[in-house]
Amino acid sequence: MKKHLLVLTLAVSSLQFFSAQDKKIAEECMLKADYKCAEEQYTKLADKELIQKYQSEYFNNLGTAQRRLGKISASFKSYESALKSNPMSAAVYANLGSLHNQKGSKTKALDYLNKGLLIEEQNIEMYLTRAKVYENLNKKDLAEKDLKQILSFAPDNIFARTGLANLKKRNGDLEGSLKDYNQLLSEKPESLLYNGRADVYLKLKKHKEALADVNKAISIDPKFSQSFVTKALILFDSAKDKEACATLDKAVAAGYEKAALAEQFAKCVKK
């Protein structure tokens, strides 16, 4: 009996060791933006995992890797499998809300986000995504309310503060938005903020200032893919299409979803 227990213990220990190794490989693949590798590793992990909580985590990460690869249908299925394994995972509700906002139904996006916020009522990511959904539905008052709700429990949150500045920008109050970004940058000169102000300068047709800001954003954080997208837009608007297309490739290499840039890449097709 003791011999059988020892064999069983060794077998379980071995499984845990190899599972931990596979998880480490998967995480490294994600960090390196090698999403094909991450997809393969998380698929193996999800298929082998018996504990539902961990299986949900692996399916959730698998969905994100597939999303980065532009495999939207597969991503939806993985996120749904993650939710089936753990119906109380706020992270999965956040991802399904985000993906439905981008590729699916705004109504479904709100449904997932509302349910997720019942589980985790101070989830910043879900408030930010729901604000985007509301803005897409032209419910700007509700978008503003969600961003201010974040600031009620996280007053220094940079994403909520930039979100409010961006609401002004999209409502046509470019000078008001620029003033907000100047204030934010005086407090914290971060990549996200330089990128945001660059976009405001682009809308004001101040290409020199826009390019200076976006280059500063990239120098601070070369892995922030949005900065490359912003730079590409500035270059397109400056009639520098060749440079813009090369910059789009850098955005994808840094982790930006290529499918989300279809309109921009269409300008790069050789005639």
Side-chain angles (χ1 to χ4, degrees), residues 160-213:
R161 293 180 71 189
T162 54
L164 289 169
N166 288 334
L167 269 180
K168 289 183 181 179
K169 177 183 67 179
R170 288 189 281 270
N171 286 337
D173 182 10
L174 296 178
E175 293 299 335
S177 180
L178 183 60
K179 183 179 178 182
D180 285 353
Y181 271 110
N182 288 339
Q183 177 61 40
L184 285 162
L185 278 164
S186 71
E187 298 172 16
K188 193 176 291 186
E190 292 191 359
S191 176
L192 174 72
L193 299 176
Y194 277 111
N195 177 74
R197 192 172 69 175
D199 190 51
V200 178
Y201 278 133
L202 172 60
K203 299 290 189 296
L204 289 166
K205 297 295 180 182
K206 294 184 176 182
H207 294 137
K208 182 179 177 181
E209 291 88 343
L211 204 55
D213 266 7

Side-chain angles (χ1 to χ4, degrees), residues 11-234:
V12 171
S13 297
S14 296
L15 283 172
Q16 289 176 336
F17 173 75
F18 287 116
S19 178
Q21 272 195 323
D22 287 341
K23 183 181 179 182
K24 184 179 179 181
I25 293 170
E27 290 170 349
E28 288 174 351
C29 291
M30 287 292 274
L31 285 172
K32 292 186 293 186
D34 186 351
Y35 300 116
K36 183 62 180 173
C37 166
E39 180 185 30
E40 292 171 358
Q41 293 299 320
Y42 280 121
T43 298
K44 287 195 294 184
L45 284 163
D47 287 344
K48 290 188 294 184
E49 186 57 62
L50 299 177
I51 300 174
Q52 288 187 309
K53 179 183 176 182
Y54 297 135
Q55 185 183 55
S56 176
E57 178 188 329
Y58 297 146
F59 272 125
N60 190 43
N61 291 335
L62 172 60
T64 299
Q66 291 166 330
R67 187 174 177 180
R68 298 287 181 267
L69 290 167
K71 298 180 178 181
I72 303 305
S73 296
S75 182
F76 270 121
K77 288 179 182 178
S78 294
Y79 286 145
E80 285 160 4
S81 294
L83 194 61
K84 185 177 180 181
S85 293
N86 182 11
M88 296 301 289
S89 172
V92 180
Y93 281 107
N95 280 327
L96 277 166
S98 174
L99 192 55
H100 271 292
N101 179 47
Q102 184 186 352
K103 297 291 183 181
S105 159
K106 306 300 182 204
T107 302
K108 285 185 179 179
L110 284 177
D111 184 50
Y112 281 116
L113 293 166
N114 290 340
K115 287 177 180 176
L117 284 166
L118 289 176
I119 295 168
E120 195 173 304
E121 63 181 17
Q122 291 192 350
N123 186 295
I124 291 172
E125 183 183 352
M126 280 192 274
Y127 276 116
L128 289 170
T129 304
R130 195 170 71 174
K132 289 179 185 175
V133 177
Y134 282 141
E135 191 177 359
N136 289 336
L137 293 171
N138 205 31
K139 296 180 178 180
K140 294 175 183 177
D141 55 331
L142 292 177
E144 183 178 357
K145 183 180 178 181
D146 269 0
L147 294 171
K148 288 182 176 179
Q149 178 63 24
I150 294 171
L151 296 178
S152 72
F153 59 83
D156 295 325
N157 185 268
I158 194 171
F159 298 106
R161 293 180 71 189
T162 54
L164 289 169
N166 288 334
L167 269 180
K168 289 183 181 179
K169 177 183 67 179
R170 288 189 281 270
N171 286 337
D173 182 10
L174 296 178
E175 293 299 335
S177 180
L178 183 60
K179 183 179 178 182
D180 285 353
Y181 271 110
N182 288 339
Q183 177 61 40
L184 285 162
L185 278 164
S186 71
E187 298 172 16
K188 193 176 291 186
E190 292 191 359
S191 176
L192 174 72
L193 299 176
Y194 277 111
N195 177 74
R197 192 172 69 175
D199 190 51
V200 178
Y201 278 133
L202 172 60
K203 299 290 189 296
L204 289 166
K205 297 295 180 182
K206 294 184 176 182
H207 294 137
K208 182 179 177 181
E209 291 88 343
L211 204 55
D213 266 7
V214 80
N215 283 335
K216 182 69 173 176
I218 291 168
S219 71
I220 294 171
D221 183 4
K223 294 182 180 180
F224 182 41
S225 60
Q226 180 62 54
S227 293
F228 290 105
V229 176
T230 303
K231 184 173 182 177
L233 295 176
I234 295 165

